[in-house]
Short mmCIF file of all heavy atoms in Angstrom, two decimals:
data_model
loop_
_atom_site.label_atom_id
_atom_site.label_comp_id
_atom_site.label_asym_id
_atom_site.label_seq_id
_atom_site.Cartn_x
_atom_site.Cartn_y
_atom_site.Cartn_z
N MET A 1 0.85 -1.21 0.00
CA MET A 1 0.00 0.00 0.01
C MET A 1 0.87 1.27 0.01
O MET A 1 1.78 1.38 0.79
CB MET A 1 -0.87 0.04 1.27
CG MET A 1 -2.12 -0.83 1.18
SD MET A 1 -3.02 -0.65 -0.37
CE MET A 1 -3.75 -2.26 -0.41
N GLY A 2 0.56 2.17 -0.89
CA GLY A 2 1.33 3.38 -0.95
C GLY A 2 0.90 4.38 0.15
O GLY A 2 -0.21 4.33 0.61
N ARG A 3 1.86 5.18 0.55
CA ARG A 3 1.53 6.25 1.47
C ARG A 3 0.89 7.40 0.73
O ARG A 3 1.22 7.62 -0.44
CB ARG A 3 2.82 6.71 2.17
CG ARG A 3 3.25 5.78 3.25
CD ARG A 3 4.68 6.09 3.62
NE ARG A 3 4.92 7.50 3.86
CZ ARG A 3 5.63 8.00 4.87
NH1 ARG A 3 6.15 7.18 5.74
NH2 ARG A 3 5.79 9.28 5.00
N ILE A 4 0.06 8.13 1.39
CA ILE A 4 -0.61 9.22 0.67
C ILE A 4 -0.45 10.51 1.43
O ILE A 4 -0.25 10.53 2.64
CB ILE A 4 -2.11 8.92 0.48
CG1 ILE A 4 -2.81 8.64 1.80
CG2 ILE A 4 -2.30 7.79 -0.49
CD1 ILE A 4 -4.30 8.68 1.66
N GLN A 5 -0.55 11.59 0.70
CA GLN A 5 -0.43 12.92 1.29
C GLN A 5 -1.68 13.28 2.09
O GLN A 5 -2.76 12.79 1.83
CB GLN A 5 -0.30 13.95 0.16
CG GLN A 5 1.05 13.94 -0.51
CD GLN A 5 1.01 14.87 -1.73
OE1 GLN A 5 0.50 14.50 -2.74
NE2 GLN A 5 1.55 16.05 -1.54
N LYS A 6 -1.48 14.10 3.07
CA LYS A 6 -2.60 14.60 3.86
C LYS A 6 -3.49 15.46 2.99
O LYS A 6 -3.04 16.20 2.18
CB LYS A 6 -2.07 15.41 5.07
CG LYS A 6 -1.87 14.53 6.25
CD LYS A 6 -2.51 15.19 7.47
CE LYS A 6 -2.90 14.16 8.49
NZ LYS A 6 -3.66 14.65 9.59
N GLY A 7 -4.79 15.33 3.22
CA GLY A 7 -5.76 16.16 2.54
C GLY A 7 -6.19 15.68 1.20
O GLY A 7 -6.96 16.28 0.51
N VAL A 8 -5.64 14.52 0.74
CA VAL A 8 -6.05 13.91 -0.53
C VAL A 8 -7.45 13.35 -0.35
O VAL A 8 -7.73 12.67 0.59
CB VAL A 8 -5.07 12.83 -0.98
CG1 VAL A 8 -5.55 12.13 -2.24
CG2 VAL A 8 -3.71 13.43 -1.20
N LYS A 9 -8.28 13.62 -1.35
CA LYS A 9 -9.66 13.16 -1.27
C LYS A 9 -9.82 11.79 -1.97
O LYS A 9 -9.10 11.49 -2.88
CB LYS A 9 -10.60 14.17 -1.92
CG LYS A 9 -10.56 15.55 -1.27
CD LYS A 9 -11.20 15.54 0.08
CE LYS A 9 -11.28 16.94 0.64
NZ LYS A 9 -11.17 17.01 2.10
N CYS A 10 -10.82 11.07 -1.54
CA CYS A 10 -11.21 9.80 -2.14
C CYS A 10 -11.50 9.98 -3.63
O CYS A 10 -12.12 10.97 -4.05
CB CYS A 10 -12.44 9.28 -1.42
SG CYS A 10 -13.08 7.73 -2.01
N SER A 11 -11.06 9.04 -4.46
CA SER A 11 -11.22 9.13 -5.91
C SER A 11 -12.61 8.67 -6.40
O SER A 11 -12.87 8.75 -7.58
CB SER A 11 -10.17 8.27 -6.63
OG SER A 11 -8.90 8.77 -6.37
N VAL A 12 -13.44 8.15 -5.53
CA VAL A 12 -14.74 7.69 -5.95
C VAL A 12 -15.63 8.93 -6.20
O VAL A 12 -15.65 9.87 -5.41
CB VAL A 12 -15.39 6.80 -4.89
CG1 VAL A 12 -16.82 6.39 -5.26
CG2 VAL A 12 -14.54 5.58 -4.65
N THR A 13 -16.33 8.90 -7.34
CA THR A 13 -17.21 10.00 -7.70
C THR A 13 -18.24 10.24 -6.61
O THR A 13 -18.80 9.31 -6.06
CB THR A 13 -17.92 9.64 -9.01
OG1 THR A 13 -16.96 9.19 -9.95
CG2 THR A 13 -18.64 10.86 -9.58
N ASP A 14 -18.43 11.48 -6.29
CA ASP A 14 -19.40 11.91 -5.28
C ASP A 14 -18.98 11.64 -3.86
O ASP A 14 -19.76 11.85 -2.95
CB ASP A 14 -20.77 11.28 -5.53
CG ASP A 14 -21.37 11.67 -6.87
OD1 ASP A 14 -21.06 12.80 -7.32
OD2 ASP A 14 -22.15 10.90 -7.41
N CYS A 15 -17.75 11.18 -3.65
CA CYS A 15 -17.26 11.01 -2.29
C CYS A 15 -16.24 12.10 -1.99
O CYS A 15 -15.31 12.33 -2.77
CB CYS A 15 -16.61 9.65 -2.14
SG CYS A 15 -15.98 9.38 -0.48
N ASN A 16 -16.42 12.80 -0.86
CA ASN A 16 -15.50 13.89 -0.51
C ASN A 16 -14.76 13.59 0.77
O ASN A 16 -14.21 14.48 1.39
CB ASN A 16 -16.27 15.19 -0.39
CG ASN A 16 -16.64 15.74 -1.76
OD1 ASN A 16 -15.79 15.84 -2.64
ND2 ASN A 16 -17.90 16.10 -1.94
N SER A 17 -14.73 12.35 1.13
CA SER A 17 -14.00 11.98 2.33
C SER A 17 -12.48 11.96 2.12
O SER A 17 -12.05 11.84 0.95
CB SER A 17 -14.39 10.59 2.79
OG SER A 17 -15.79 10.51 2.99
N GLU A 18 -11.73 12.08 3.16
CA GLU A 18 -10.27 12.10 3.04
C GLU A 18 -9.78 10.64 2.78
O GLU A 18 -10.26 9.68 3.39
CB GLU A 18 -9.61 12.62 4.32
CG GLU A 18 -8.17 12.99 4.09
CD GLU A 18 -7.64 13.84 5.23
OE1 GLU A 18 -8.38 14.74 5.70
OE2 GLU A 18 -6.51 13.58 5.66
N ALA A 19 -8.88 10.52 1.83
CA ALA A 19 -8.37 9.19 1.46
C ALA A 19 -7.43 8.65 2.51
O ALA A 19 -6.68 9.39 3.14
CB ALA A 19 -7.65 9.29 0.14
N VAL A 20 -7.45 7.35 2.70
CA VAL A 20 -6.54 6.70 3.64
C VAL A 20 -5.64 5.66 2.95
O VAL A 20 -4.66 5.20 3.48
CB VAL A 20 -7.30 5.99 4.80
CG1 VAL A 20 -8.01 7.02 5.67
CG2 VAL A 20 -8.27 4.95 4.23
N ARG A 21 -5.99 5.31 1.71
CA ARG A 21 -5.22 4.32 0.96
C ARG A 21 -5.09 4.76 -0.48
O ARG A 21 -5.95 5.42 -1.03
CB ARG A 21 -5.97 2.95 0.93
CG ARG A 21 -6.09 2.30 2.28
CD ARG A 21 -4.80 1.55 2.61
NE ARG A 21 -5.00 0.65 3.73
CZ ARG A 21 -5.02 1.00 5.01
NH1 ARG A 21 -4.87 2.27 5.33
NH2 ARG A 21 -5.18 0.13 5.94
N SER A 22 -4.00 4.39 -1.12
CA SER A 22 -3.85 4.63 -2.55
C SER A 22 -3.47 3.36 -3.26
O SER A 22 -2.75 2.53 -2.75
CB SER A 22 -2.85 5.73 -2.81
OG SER A 22 -1.56 5.22 -2.86
N LEU A 23 -4.02 3.20 -4.47
CA LEU A 23 -3.78 1.99 -5.26
C LEU A 23 -3.48 2.39 -6.70
O LEU A 23 -3.78 3.50 -7.11
CB LEU A 23 -5.03 1.13 -5.32
CG LEU A 23 -5.73 0.79 -4.02
CD1 LEU A 23 -7.16 0.38 -4.31
CD2 LEU A 23 -4.99 -0.32 -3.32
N SER A 24 -2.88 1.47 -7.45
CA SER A 24 -2.73 1.76 -8.89
C SER A 24 -4.08 1.45 -9.58
O SER A 24 -4.89 0.68 -9.06
CB SER A 24 -1.63 0.87 -9.49
OG SER A 24 -2.05 -0.48 -9.55
N ARG A 25 -4.31 2.07 -10.70
CA ARG A 25 -5.54 1.86 -11.44
C ARG A 25 -5.72 0.43 -11.83
O ARG A 25 -6.84 -0.11 -11.84
CB ARG A 25 -5.57 2.74 -12.69
CG ARG A 25 -5.94 4.15 -12.38
CD ARG A 25 -7.05 4.62 -13.30
NE ARG A 25 -7.64 5.80 -12.70
CZ ARG A 25 -8.88 6.19 -12.86
NH1 ARG A 25 -9.68 5.47 -13.60
NH2 ARG A 25 -9.37 7.24 -12.25
N ASN A 26 -4.63 -0.25 -12.19
CA ASN A 26 -4.69 -1.63 -12.60
C ASN A 26 -5.31 -2.50 -11.52
O ASN A 26 -6.19 -3.31 -11.76
CB ASN A 26 -3.29 -2.18 -12.89
CG ASN A 26 -2.68 -1.52 -14.09
OD1 ASN A 26 -3.38 -0.85 -14.82
ND2 ASN A 26 -1.39 -1.72 -14.27
N LYS A 27 -4.83 -2.30 -10.30
CA LYS A 27 -5.32 -3.08 -9.16
C LYS A 27 -6.84 -2.83 -8.99
O LYS A 27 -7.54 -3.69 -8.52
CB LYS A 27 -4.61 -2.66 -7.92
CG LYS A 27 -3.37 -3.52 -7.62
CD LYS A 27 -2.92 -3.25 -6.21
CE LYS A 27 -1.68 -4.04 -5.87
NZ LYS A 27 -1.14 -3.68 -4.57
N PHE A 28 -7.21 -1.64 -9.26
CA PHE A 28 -8.56 -1.25 -8.92
C PHE A 28 -9.59 -1.71 -9.98
O PHE A 28 -10.76 -1.66 -9.72
CB PHE A 28 -8.65 0.26 -8.77
CG PHE A 28 -9.83 0.70 -7.98
CD1 PHE A 28 -9.89 0.58 -6.61
CD2 PHE A 28 -10.96 1.20 -8.62
CE1 PHE A 28 -10.98 0.96 -5.90
CE2 PHE A 28 -12.08 1.59 -7.93
CZ PHE A 28 -12.09 1.46 -6.58
N SER A 29 -9.12 -2.14 -11.11
CA SER A 29 -10.02 -2.38 -12.22
C SER A 29 -11.09 -3.46 -11.94
O SER A 29 -12.09 -3.55 -12.65
CB SER A 29 -9.24 -2.80 -13.47
OG SER A 29 -8.51 -3.98 -13.19
N ALA A 30 -10.80 -4.30 -10.95
CA ALA A 30 -11.78 -5.32 -10.61
C ALA A 30 -13.08 -4.77 -10.06
O ALA A 30 -14.11 -5.41 -10.06
CB ALA A 30 -11.17 -6.27 -9.61
N SER A 31 -13.03 -3.56 -9.61
CA SER A 31 -14.19 -2.94 -8.94
C SER A 31 -15.06 -2.20 -9.94
O SER A 31 -14.60 -1.67 -10.96
CB SER A 31 -13.74 -2.01 -7.82
OG SER A 31 -14.85 -1.28 -7.41
N ASP A 32 -16.33 -2.10 -9.66
CA ASP A 32 -17.22 -1.31 -10.52
C ASP A 32 -17.53 0.04 -9.92
O ASP A 32 -18.46 0.75 -10.33
CB ASP A 32 -18.52 -2.08 -10.81
CG ASP A 32 -19.23 -2.50 -9.55
OD1 ASP A 32 -18.76 -2.13 -8.47
OD2 ASP A 32 -20.26 -3.16 -9.66
N LEU A 33 -16.78 0.46 -8.92
CA LEU A 33 -16.93 1.80 -8.35
C LEU A 33 -16.56 2.86 -9.39
O LEU A 33 -15.59 2.65 -10.14
CB LEU A 33 -16.06 1.98 -7.13
CG LEU A 33 -16.47 1.20 -5.85
CD1 LEU A 33 -15.35 1.29 -4.84
CD2 LEU A 33 -17.76 1.80 -5.29
N LYS A 34 -17.30 3.92 -9.44
CA LYS A 34 -16.99 5.00 -10.38
C LYS A 34 -15.93 5.94 -9.80
O LYS A 34 -16.05 6.40 -8.70
CB LYS A 34 -18.25 5.75 -10.76
CG LYS A 34 -19.14 4.88 -11.62
CD LYS A 34 -20.23 5.72 -12.29
CE LYS A 34 -20.97 4.84 -13.28
NZ LYS A 34 -22.33 5.35 -13.55
N LEU A 35 -14.89 6.20 -10.63
CA LEU A 35 -13.76 6.98 -10.13
C LEU A 35 -13.60 8.27 -10.88
O LEU A 35 -13.90 8.39 -12.09
CB LEU A 35 -12.48 6.18 -10.30
CG LEU A 35 -12.41 4.87 -9.53
CD1 LEU A 35 -11.14 4.12 -9.89
CD2 LEU A 35 -12.48 5.12 -8.03
N LYS A 36 -13.02 9.29 -10.18
CA LYS A 36 -12.59 10.49 -10.84
C LYS A 36 -11.32 10.17 -11.63
O LYS A 36 -10.66 9.17 -11.39
CB LYS A 36 -12.27 11.57 -9.84
CG LYS A 36 -13.50 11.97 -9.01
CD LYS A 36 -13.09 12.73 -7.75
CE LYS A 36 -14.27 12.85 -6.78
NZ LYS A 36 -13.85 13.23 -5.44
N GLU A 37 -10.98 11.05 -12.59
CA GLU A 37 -9.76 10.88 -13.39
C GLU A 37 -8.49 10.96 -12.50
O GLU A 37 -8.49 11.63 -11.48
CB GLU A 37 -9.69 12.00 -14.44
CG GLU A 37 -10.73 11.84 -15.56
CD GLU A 37 -10.54 10.53 -16.31
OE1 GLU A 37 -9.40 10.18 -16.69
OE2 GLU A 37 -11.57 9.79 -16.48
N GLY A 38 -7.45 10.28 -12.96
CA GLY A 38 -6.18 10.34 -12.25
C GLY A 38 -5.40 9.07 -12.42
O GLY A 38 -5.95 8.02 -12.72
N LYS A 39 -4.07 9.20 -12.26
CA LYS A 39 -3.19 8.06 -12.45
C LYS A 39 -3.33 7.03 -11.34
O LYS A 39 -3.27 5.86 -11.56
CB LYS A 39 -1.72 8.52 -12.53
CG LYS A 39 -1.29 8.92 -13.90
CD LYS A 39 0.19 9.17 -13.88
CE LYS A 39 0.63 9.67 -15.25
NZ LYS A 39 2.01 10.07 -15.28
N ARG A 40 -3.54 7.57 -10.14
CA ARG A 40 -3.65 6.67 -9.01
C ARG A 40 -5.08 6.77 -8.47
O ARG A 40 -5.81 7.72 -8.71
CB ARG A 40 -2.65 7.02 -7.93
CG ARG A 40 -1.25 6.66 -8.31
CD ARG A 40 -0.31 6.72 -7.16
NE ARG A 40 -0.56 5.69 -6.17
CZ ARG A 40 -0.16 4.41 -6.31
NH1 ARG A 40 0.55 4.04 -7.34
NH2 ARG A 40 -0.39 3.54 -5.38
N VAL A 41 -5.43 5.76 -7.72
CA VAL A 41 -6.76 5.72 -7.11
C VAL A 41 -6.58 5.92 -5.59
O VAL A 41 -5.81 5.23 -4.95
CB VAL A 41 -7.44 4.36 -7.37
CG1 VAL A 41 -8.80 4.27 -6.66
CG2 VAL A 41 -7.58 4.15 -8.85
N TYR A 42 -7.31 6.89 -5.04
CA TYR A 42 -7.26 7.13 -3.59
C TYR A 42 -8.61 6.74 -3.00
O TYR A 42 -9.63 7.09 -3.58
CB TYR A 42 -6.97 8.61 -3.35
CG TYR A 42 -5.63 9.04 -3.89
CD1 TYR A 42 -5.54 9.67 -5.10
CD2 TYR A 42 -4.46 8.79 -3.16
CE1 TYR A 42 -4.28 10.03 -5.64
CE2 TYR A 42 -3.23 9.18 -3.66
CZ TYR A 42 -3.17 9.76 -4.88
OH TYR A 42 -1.93 10.12 -5.37
N LEU A 43 -8.51 6.05 -1.89
CA LEU A 43 -9.75 5.60 -1.31
C LEU A 43 -9.86 6.02 0.14
O LEU A 43 -8.91 5.96 0.91
CB LEU A 43 -9.82 4.05 -1.34
CG LEU A 43 -9.90 3.44 -2.76
CD1 LEU A 43 -9.88 1.90 -2.64
CD2 LEU A 43 -11.17 3.88 -3.50
N CYS A 44 -11.06 6.41 0.55
CA CYS A 44 -11.35 6.67 1.99
C CYS A 44 -11.54 5.33 2.66
O CYS A 44 -11.65 4.28 2.02
CB CYS A 44 -12.56 7.56 2.10
SG CYS A 44 -14.09 6.79 1.52
N GLU A 45 -11.65 5.38 3.99
CA GLU A 45 -11.80 4.16 4.76
C GLU A 45 -13.01 3.33 4.25
O GLU A 45 -12.91 2.11 4.04
CB GLU A 45 -12.07 4.58 6.21
CG GLU A 45 -11.90 3.43 7.18
CD GLU A 45 -10.41 3.12 7.46
OE1 GLU A 45 -9.67 4.03 7.83
OE2 GLU A 45 -10.03 1.91 7.26
N LEU A 46 -14.11 3.99 4.02
CA LEU A 46 -15.32 3.29 3.60
C LEU A 46 -15.15 2.61 2.26
O LEU A 46 -15.45 1.39 2.13
CB LEU A 46 -16.50 4.30 3.55
CG LEU A 46 -17.78 3.72 2.93
CD1 LEU A 46 -18.49 2.78 3.93
CD2 LEU A 46 -18.72 4.86 2.52
N HIS A 47 -14.65 3.36 1.26
CA HIS A 47 -14.56 2.78 -0.05
C HIS A 47 -13.45 1.74 -0.13
O HIS A 47 -13.48 0.85 -0.96
CB HIS A 47 -14.37 3.90 -1.09
CG HIS A 47 -15.67 4.58 -1.38
ND1 HIS A 47 -15.86 5.91 -1.19
CD2 HIS A 47 -16.84 4.07 -1.81
CE1 HIS A 47 -17.13 6.23 -1.49
NE2 HIS A 47 -17.73 5.14 -1.89
N TYR A 48 -12.44 1.87 0.70
CA TYR A 48 -11.38 0.87 0.76
C TYR A 48 -11.99 -0.48 1.21
O TYR A 48 -11.70 -1.52 0.68
CB TYR A 48 -10.30 1.28 1.73
CG TYR A 48 -9.17 0.25 1.84
CD1 TYR A 48 -8.38 -0.03 0.76
CD2 TYR A 48 -8.97 -0.43 3.05
CE1 TYR A 48 -7.38 -0.96 0.84
CE2 TYR A 48 -7.97 -1.38 3.14
CZ TYR A 48 -7.18 -1.65 2.04
OH TYR A 48 -6.20 -2.59 2.15
N LYS A 49 -12.88 -0.40 2.21
CA LYS A 49 -13.53 -1.63 2.69
C LYS A 49 -14.42 -2.20 1.59
O LYS A 49 -14.47 -3.42 1.41
CB LYS A 49 -14.38 -1.29 3.92
CG LYS A 49 -13.54 -1.26 5.18
CD LYS A 49 -14.42 -0.97 6.38
CE LYS A 49 -13.54 -0.64 7.58
NZ LYS A 49 -14.29 0.04 8.63
N VAL A 50 -15.15 -1.33 0.91
CA VAL A 50 -16.01 -1.79 -0.20
C VAL A 50 -15.19 -2.49 -1.26
O VAL A 50 -15.53 -3.60 -1.68
CB VAL A 50 -16.76 -0.60 -0.83
CG1 VAL A 50 -17.49 -1.04 -2.12
CG2 VAL A 50 -17.75 -0.01 0.15
N TRP A 51 -14.05 -1.87 -1.64
CA TRP A 51 -13.21 -2.42 -2.64
C TRP A 51 -12.66 -3.77 -2.20
O TRP A 51 -12.61 -4.78 -2.97
CB TRP A 51 -12.09 -1.47 -2.97
CG TRP A 51 -11.03 -2.07 -3.88
CD1 TRP A 51 -11.14 -2.21 -5.22
CD2 TRP A 51 -9.75 -2.54 -3.50
NE1 TRP A 51 -10.00 -2.80 -5.70
CE2 TRP A 51 -9.13 -2.99 -4.67
CE3 TRP A 51 -9.08 -2.64 -2.26
CZ2 TRP A 51 -7.86 -3.55 -4.68
CZ3 TRP A 51 -7.79 -3.19 -2.28
CH2 TRP A 51 -7.21 -3.64 -3.47
N LYS A 52 -12.19 -3.85 -0.95
CA LYS A 52 -11.58 -5.08 -0.43
C LYS A 52 -12.58 -6.23 -0.48
O LYS A 52 -12.28 -7.35 -0.79
CB LYS A 52 -11.10 -4.85 0.99
CG LYS A 52 -9.60 -5.16 1.15
CD LYS A 52 -9.03 -4.66 2.42
CE LYS A 52 -9.29 -5.60 3.57
NZ LYS A 52 -8.52 -5.21 4.78
N LYS A 53 -13.81 -5.90 -0.09
CA LYS A 53 -14.87 -6.88 -0.08
C LYS A 53 -15.09 -7.43 -1.49
O LYS A 53 -15.23 -8.61 -1.71
CB LYS A 53 -16.15 -6.23 0.45
CG LYS A 53 -16.99 -7.15 1.29
CD LYS A 53 -18.13 -6.33 1.89
CE LYS A 53 -19.18 -7.24 2.49
NZ LYS A 53 -20.33 -6.46 2.99
N LYS A 54 -15.14 -6.52 -2.47
CA LYS A 54 -15.40 -6.90 -3.86
C LYS A 54 -14.27 -7.80 -4.37
O LYS A 54 -14.54 -8.78 -5.01
CB LYS A 54 -15.49 -5.65 -4.74
CG LYS A 54 -16.83 -4.99 -4.67
CD LYS A 54 -16.82 -3.75 -5.54
CE LYS A 54 -18.10 -2.93 -5.41
NZ LYS A 54 -19.24 -3.60 -6.02
N THR A 55 -13.04 -7.41 -4.12
CA THR A 55 -11.94 -8.19 -4.63
C THR A 55 -11.85 -9.54 -3.93
O THR A 55 -11.45 -10.53 -4.53
CB THR A 55 -10.59 -7.46 -4.48
OG1 THR A 55 -10.41 -7.10 -3.14
CG2 THR A 55 -10.56 -6.22 -5.39
N LYS A 56 -12.24 -9.59 -2.69
CA LYS A 56 -12.28 -10.87 -1.93
C LYS A 56 -13.27 -11.81 -2.63
O LYS A 56 -12.99 -12.94 -2.84
CB LYS A 56 -12.67 -10.63 -0.50
CG LYS A 56 -12.58 -11.87 0.35
CD LYS A 56 -12.78 -11.52 1.83
CE LYS A 56 -12.82 -12.78 2.65
NZ LYS A 56 -14.17 -13.25 2.90
N ASN A 57 -14.40 -11.27 -2.98
CA ASN A 57 -15.43 -12.08 -3.67
C ASN A 57 -14.87 -12.61 -4.99
O ASN A 57 -15.09 -13.77 -5.32
CB ASN A 57 -16.69 -11.28 -3.94
CG ASN A 57 -17.44 -11.02 -2.64
OD1 ASN A 57 -17.24 -11.69 -1.65
ND2 ASN A 57 -18.33 -10.04 -2.68
N LEU A 58 -14.18 -11.76 -5.74
CA LEU A 58 -13.61 -12.17 -7.00
C LEU A 58 -12.60 -13.30 -6.83
O LEU A 58 -12.56 -14.25 -7.57
CB LEU A 58 -12.94 -11.00 -7.68
CG LEU A 58 -13.88 -10.00 -8.34
CD1 LEU A 58 -13.07 -8.85 -8.89
CD2 LEU A 58 -14.70 -10.61 -9.46
N ARG A 59 -11.80 -13.16 -5.80
CA ARG A 59 -10.81 -14.22 -5.53
C ARG A 59 -11.47 -15.54 -5.21
O ARG A 59 -11.03 -16.59 -5.63
CB ARG A 59 -9.85 -13.82 -4.38
CG ARG A 59 -8.72 -12.91 -4.86
CD ARG A 59 -7.59 -12.89 -3.87
NE ARG A 59 -7.99 -12.40 -2.56
CZ ARG A 59 -7.99 -11.13 -2.24
NH1 ARG A 59 -7.57 -10.22 -3.07
NH2 ARG A 59 -8.34 -10.73 -1.04
N GLU A 60 -12.56 -15.49 -4.47
CA GLU A 60 -13.29 -16.70 -4.12
C GLU A 60 -13.88 -17.34 -5.36
O GLU A 60 -13.91 -18.55 -5.51
CB GLU A 60 -14.33 -16.40 -3.05
CG GLU A 60 -13.71 -16.45 -1.71
CD GLU A 60 -14.59 -15.88 -0.60
OE1 GLU A 60 -15.79 -15.68 -0.87
OE2 GLU A 60 -14.07 -15.62 0.47
N ILE A 61 -14.37 -16.53 -6.26
CA ILE A 61 -14.93 -17.05 -7.52
C ILE A 61 -13.84 -17.74 -8.32
O ILE A 61 -14.00 -18.84 -8.83
CB ILE A 61 -15.56 -15.91 -8.36
CG1 ILE A 61 -16.85 -15.41 -7.64
CG2 ILE A 61 -15.87 -16.38 -9.74
CD1 ILE A 61 -17.35 -14.09 -8.17
N ASP A 62 -12.67 -17.12 -8.38
CA ASP A 62 -11.52 -17.71 -9.08
C ASP A 62 -11.16 -19.06 -8.50
O ASP A 62 -10.86 -20.00 -9.21
CB ASP A 62 -10.32 -16.80 -9.02
CG ASP A 62 -10.39 -15.69 -10.06
OD1 ASP A 62 -11.28 -15.81 -10.96
OD2 ASP A 62 -9.57 -14.79 -10.04
N ARG A 63 -11.17 -19.12 -7.20
CA ARG A 63 -10.78 -20.35 -6.54
C ARG A 63 -11.77 -21.49 -6.89
O ARG A 63 -11.40 -22.63 -7.11
CB ARG A 63 -10.70 -20.16 -5.01
CG ARG A 63 -9.86 -21.19 -4.34
CD ARG A 63 -9.74 -20.90 -2.84
NE ARG A 63 -11.03 -20.91 -2.21
CZ ARG A 63 -11.39 -20.13 -1.18
NH1 ARG A 63 -10.56 -19.28 -0.70
NH2 ARG A 63 -12.60 -20.19 -0.67
N LEU A 64 -13.04 -21.14 -6.89
CA LEU A 64 -14.04 -22.13 -7.23
C LEU A 64 -13.89 -22.62 -8.66
O LEU A 64 -14.10 -23.78 -8.97
CB LEU A 64 -15.44 -21.56 -7.03
CG LEU A 64 -15.86 -21.28 -5.61
CD1 LEU A 64 -17.22 -20.60 -5.55
CD2 LEU A 64 -15.93 -22.58 -4.78
N ARG A 65 -13.54 -21.66 -9.52
CA ARG A 65 -13.48 -21.97 -10.95
C ARG A 65 -12.24 -22.82 -11.29
O ARG A 65 -12.28 -23.75 -12.06
CB ARG A 65 -13.43 -20.67 -11.74
CG ARG A 65 -13.78 -20.86 -13.23
CD ARG A 65 -13.60 -19.56 -13.98
NE ARG A 65 -14.65 -18.60 -13.52
CZ ARG A 65 -14.49 -17.27 -13.59
NH1 ARG A 65 -13.39 -16.75 -14.01
NH2 ARG A 65 -15.47 -16.48 -13.20
N TYR A 66 -11.08 -22.43 -10.66
CA TYR A 66 -9.83 -23.07 -11.05
C TYR A 66 -9.34 -24.07 -10.01
O TYR A 66 -8.46 -24.85 -10.29
CB TYR A 66 -8.77 -22.01 -11.28
CG TYR A 66 -9.15 -21.04 -12.35
CD1 TYR A 66 -9.40 -19.71 -12.05
CD2 TYR A 66 -9.26 -21.46 -13.70
CE1 TYR A 66 -9.75 -18.82 -13.03
CE2 TYR A 66 -9.63 -20.56 -14.66
CZ TYR A 66 -9.85 -19.24 -14.34
OH TYR A 66 -10.24 -18.34 -15.30
N GLY A 67 -9.86 -23.99 -8.80
CA GLY A 67 -9.33 -24.82 -7.70
C GLY A 67 -9.84 -26.22 -7.91
O GLY A 67 -9.38 -27.24 -7.53
ZN1 LIG B 101 -14.81 7.38 -0.59
#
């Protein structure tokens, strides 16, 4: 996880919370959350949890399919 500057806002459209995590866009592509433009994706606590939950589900699907 990258460190982020203070005062950076969440990259999710319509969210104005302060970001606590940053990710590369590639990593984030698994999610269907709508994002503002930018090279990196910044997430607030709430959206980070949402994203983590979604990617966890995807991983479980993969395991079922290939495991
Ligand atoms: Zn957010």
Side-chain angles (χ1 to χ4, degrees):
M1 280 313 153
R3 282 164 49 135
I4 56 166
Q5 287 172 281
K6 269 228 153 187
V8 175
K9 301 288 186 212
C10 179
S11 295
V12 177
T13 311
D14 297 331
C15 179
N16 285 312
S17 303
E18 195 166 318
V20 295
R21 294 279 194 280
S22 84
L23 309 160
S24 72
R25 280 229 163 212
N26 293 348
K27 268 193 181 174
F28 199 76
S29 60
S31 169
D32 57 3
L33 288 169
K34 287 195 174 156
L35 299 174
K36 297 163 193 166
E37 289 299 312
K39 274 188 183 172
R40 290 192 68 80
V41 177
Y42 298 97
L43 295 177
C44 65
E45 195 77 54
L46 173 74
H47 283 120
Y48 179 67
K49 278 180 193 164
V50 171
W51 173 77
K52 237 167 82 170
K53 216 173 168 184
K54 280 178 185 290
T55 55
K56 186 172 176 264
N57 289 342
L58 283 176
R59 277 200 300 273
E60 274 167 15
I61 290 164
D62 277 351
R63 200 177 61 214
L64 291 175
R65 196 184 292 154
Y66 301 113

